[in-house]
Amino acid sequence: MTTLRSENVPKSPDGGLQSERTSLSFVRTSLSILGLSAACLRWLPPFGAASLIGPLIAALLIIAVTIFERRSRPARLALFTTEKATPALAMGGVLAMSLIVLSASGLWILLK
């Protein structure tokens, strides 16, 4: 019977690209939500300034996620190369929360 030892396991040729793809997906999702928040400016004339509360909160959450993601990227890359990386659940949660806030504010405006 043979056993796998750590020296027999081939190293991944990825070299951290998976972490880069994850980072780019956070940026891409953030930009799309930020664009949707900017598109909500069309509600300003008929509904007034109260219609901008939800998009403004969503935009602030997105900006916070983007700044945090940019600052934590090198540390995540280092953890990924040592195979100690954990999922970025907090950033994903904040992105989801910004979508919920944006959706709720849109429903509130339409039902008002």
Side-chain angles (χ1 to χ4, degrees):
M1 177 166 25
T2 61
T3 60
L4 286 177
R5 293 188 208 145
S6 62
E7 62 264 9
N8 293 339
V9 177
K11 280 294 203 185
S12 172
D14 195 4
L17 294 178
Q18 181 180 5
S19 181
E20 285 295 319
R21 286 191 304 266
T22 302
S23 176
L24 289 173
S25 70
F26 274 121
V27 170
R28 188 173 52 243
T29 305
S30 297
L31 285 175
S32 64
I33 297 172
L34 198 58
L36 185 60
S37 295
C40 291
L41 290 174
R42 66 186 174 105
W43 290 334
L44 185 60
F47 296 107
S51 65
L52 296 180
I53 294 172
L56 182 64
I57 292 171
L60 291 174
L61 287 172
I62 293 302
I63 291 169
V65 164
T66 304
I67 290 170
F68 180 75
E69 194 279 324
R70 290 283 290 185
R71 289 186 178 177
S72 67
R73 184 184 301 170
R76 272 199 336 271
L77 273 169
L79 287 173
F80 185 77
T81 56
T82 60
E83 297 183 4
K84 295 180 182 175
T86 58
L89 295 177
M91 286 191 285
V94 172
L95 287 176
M97 184 59 67
S98 68
L99 278 175
I100 290 170
V101 166
L102 198 58
S103 300
S105 69
L107 283 173
W108 176 73
I109 288 168
L110 291 176
L111 296 175
K112 186 176 171 184

